[in-house]
Amino acid sequence: MNDFPVDSELDWVLVLAPFRKDADYVAAFLREQKIDVKAAKADGDLVEHLALSPGIIVITHEALNPQVIVRITTHLAEQPDWSEVPIIILLERTAPIERIRNQLLTSWPGSRLLFYTRPIAPLELVNGIQSNLLVRLRQRQVRDSIERERELRLELNHRVKNILASVTSIFQMTRRGATSVEGLASDFAGRLQALSNVHSAVFEAGGAEVWLSAAIDLTVSPYNSAGASRINVSGPDIVVSRDAGTAIALCLHELITNAIKYGALSHPDGHVDLLWSVAANGSSELSLSWTEVGGPAVQEPTRQGYGTRYVRSALGSLFGTVPEIIFAPGGFRLSVSGSLSRMSAQK
């Protein structure tokens, strides 16, 4: 009974044996062991089968003519760095083994050569092929690991560039609105902390997406105490992209900063209601609102500061609609809505 695991990831075996129905014989008992195999009896068959990238090549002594050696040499030269193709040579007992070995090691340096003398017990050949199928599987796993590492490096490079671009943009816009070095340092540090909080949420989420509630909570929680919440948060658990979570969190940081300086959070009894919801009518529209209550009487500013410009631009780009900003006497209000699909990781 064969205990070798049947694995769809295992490679297939090419058998090249032109005489005495050897190819059919070897292929038959390999198939009995659930090993995928193709038999080649002519040079044309070899070209066709090599183009399909066999994992192992089994070749008899009689097939080792110059044309075959050259074709396999070309095939091996085309292999990627991770690939070391096992080639099993079935030799006659009277064959000059040492001379053949030296010739093939010279012609096929990018291969894993194994020599068997005929007649060989089917079980011995099957065990050798099975062992080398596992070698090929490990090689491909190494290839996948290398490719994954390369993708991670590219992703890390992309993220670092995006973060640096965000930091540069935040600094430039903060500098334009600053009236003192101390104010510049304080505002810039606060905005960087907001950016850091969102990236912490994304890291904990472990991917390109983040729970919106997590991004909001990391931004809002420093301004709420256990005994008295100044910012009341309510909304369903939904997943948004890293970029969407970052944009919303940075906008909330600007709204919080403005509320502390001039709005509801500047008064001890003032508070903010931060709500978001998804339409239940099947449209998948996300709505978000910020309402300040209990603060000083509001007057619309004569000039638009960094915070307002950023919030209007960032939310407008994210939601696809310009946010409604109202400087109502009873409290500042903002609302915006747009398709939830715009905030997904794959648009």
Side-chain angles (χ1 to χ4, degrees):
M1 181 176 179
N2 177 36
D3 295 326
F4 188 64
V6 178
D7 192 323
S8 61
E9 293 186 349
L10 293 177
D11 278 319
W12 59 278
V13 179
L14 171 61
V15 177
L16 180 60
F19 301 143
R20 299 191 301 272
K21 296 186 177 180
D22 286 344
D24 292 337
Y25 171 70
V26 173
F29 69 74
L30 289 181
R31 291 189 182 107
E32 289 178 359
Q33 303 302 319
K34 310 300 182 185
I35 296 174
D36 189 14
V37 58
K38 294 179 176 63
K41 299 180 182 179
D43 194 39
D45 291 340
L46 177 62
V47 173
E48 179 181 341
H49 289 318
L50 287 177
L52 299 175
S53 298
I56 298 178
I57 299 173
V58 178
I59 183 168
T60 62
H61 180 199
E62 299 85 4
L64 290 173
N65 61 55
Q67 293 81 8
V68 167
I69 291 176
V70 168
R71 292 195 183 280
I72 294 179
T73 299
T74 300
H75 175 71
L76 296 176
E78 295 170 348
Q79 296 298 302
D81 292 342
W82 60 266
S83 176
E84 185 184 46
V85 179
I87 300 180
I88 295 176
I89 313 297
L90 302 180
L91 298 171
E92 297 288 351
R93 288 190 181 277
T94 58
I97 297 177
E98 196 62 29
R99 180 174 63 80
I100 293 174
R101 182 194 301 272
N102 292 336
Q103 178 188 1
L104 294 181
L105 286 174
T106 301
S107 300
W108 301 340
S111 66
R112 177 185 174 89
L113 291 177
L114 300 101
F115 296 88
Y116 290 91
T117 302
R118 292 182 294 179
I120 181 174
L123 181 59
E124 181 182 358
L125 181 57
V126 167
N127 287 339
I129 290 174
Q130 289 176 338
S131 297
N132 282 280
L133 283 172
L134 290 177
V135 168
R136 285 295 287 174
L137 179 59
R138 300 295 180 266
Q139 289 179 15
R140 296 215 321 275
Q141 289 172 340
V142 169
R143 172 204 65 189
D144 294 343
S145 177
I146 292 173
E147 182 62 24
R148 178 57 181 159
E149 181 181 346
R150 188 184 74 85
E151 291 175 357
L152 288 174
R153 289 200 303 269
L154 292 174
E155 174 66 13
L156 177 60
N157 182 57
H158 175 70
R159 290 193 186 190
V160 169
K161 285 184 176 179
N162 281 349
I163 291 171
L164 292 176
S166 296
V167 170
T168 301
S169 176
I170 290 171
F171 176 78
Q172 293 296 341
M173 295 186 75
T174 304
R175 181 179 63 84
R176 285 197 294 268
T179 58
S180 67
V181 174
E182 292 77 11
L184 170 63
S186 177
D187 290 346
F188 183 58
R191 286 160 182 155
L192 285 186
Q193 185 60 54
L195 181 64
S196 173
N197 288 343
V198 178
H199 282 282
S200 295
V202 172
F203 178 80
E204 291 172 6
E209 297 178 322
V210 62
W211 290 103
L212 178 58
S213 56
I216 289 176
D217 182 64
L218 281 171
T219 308
V220 168
S221 58
Y223 305 97
N224 282 335
S225 62
S229 294
R230 306 291 306 278
I231 305 175
N232 303 316
V233 175
S234 177
D237 266 344
I238 57 174
V239 174
V240 297
S241 69
R242 176 177 64 245
D243 291 341
T246 300
I248 290 174
L250 291 176
C251 288
L252 291 180
H253 173 75
E254 294 304 325
L255 293 173
I256 292 169
T257 300
N258 187 74
I260 291 173
K261 290 181 177 180
Y262 315 110
L265 299 184
S266 67
H267 276 204
D269 297 328
H271 68 273
V272 175
D273 294 324
L274 172 57
L275 311 175
W276 70 94
S277 62
V278 177
N281 59 8
S283 64
S284 296
E285 183 174 84
L286 174 65
S287 298
L288 183 144
S289 65
W290 170 278
T291 305
E292 299 185 19
V293 180
V298 175
Q299 291 184 343
E300 185 168 355
T302 56
R303 58 183 293 270
Q304 193 178 77
Y306 163 84
T308 303
R309 292 198 307 274
Y310 178 80
V311 168
R312 193 186 301 275
S313 173
L315 293 183
S317 175
L318 179 61
F319 282 80
T321 58
V322 178
E324 183 180 24
I325 296 177
I326 301 175
F327 294 91
F332 174 84
R333 299 198 304 268
L334 177 145
S335 62
V336 65
S337 61
S339 173
L340 184 58
S341 64
R342 293 179 61 89
M343 288 143 232
S344 63
Q346 296 180 343
K347 297 182 180 179

